[in-house]
Amino acid sequence: QVLLVESGGGLVQAGGSLRLSCAASGRTLSRYAVGWFRQAPGKEREFVAAVNWSGDTKSYADSVKGRFTISKDNSANTVALQMNSLKPEDTAVYYCAAPRFAFTDLWVGIHEYDVWGQGTQVTVSS
């Protein structure tokens, strides 16, 4: 059974930083693309960032470009999302996800992912 678990969320003031981590069991993340998504209350889940299986190609939503960084730690079987210069509009539940097949390019579409974590709450106060 594949399981993804996010951690690192919390409450932070605007301008602050948080580092989210996505840990996997039952799947070797070094072989998979990984995406981060977020969902704010009353809104649809949206793409935040993604990395391809080898870690050398990354993509970011325009709203987070230059502030967020996605990275893989293959030795720990985790994927991190470093979030700097946080804004109140970044408040949401953040999810990591992995696609069904290994050794693929990154994906920005929600429907390309078939394994999801339970999410971690990020709240940015003004």
Side-chain angles (χ1 to χ4, degrees), residues 32-113:
Y32 289 84
V34 174
W36 281 97
F37 293 79
R38 67 187 181 186
Q39 187 165 18
K43 295 188 177 181
E44 294 186 352
R45 193 169 298 188
E46 65 176 5
F47 169 76
V48 175
V51 60
N52 71 335
W53 77 271
S54 62
D56 59 3
T57 303
K58 302 173 184 180
S59 180
Y60 298 92
D62 287 343
S63 58
V64 307
K65 204 170 291 183
R67 301 187 297 123
F68 290 12
T69 302
I70 188 171
S71 60
K72 282 192 164 188
D73 184 343
N74 291 335
S75 63
N77 203 30
T78 60
V79 176
L81 183 69
Q82 178 66 42
M83 306 187 297
N84 299 328
S85 302
L86 283 162
K87 304 175 181 179
E89 51 263 44
D90 293 319
T91 295
V93 177
Y94 284 70
Y95 301 89
C96 65
R100 176 175 301 181
F101 300 109
F103 306 117
T104 69
D105 201 354
L106 60 86
W107 306 102
V108 300
I110 288 176
H111 301 293
E112 304 294 344
Y113 294 88

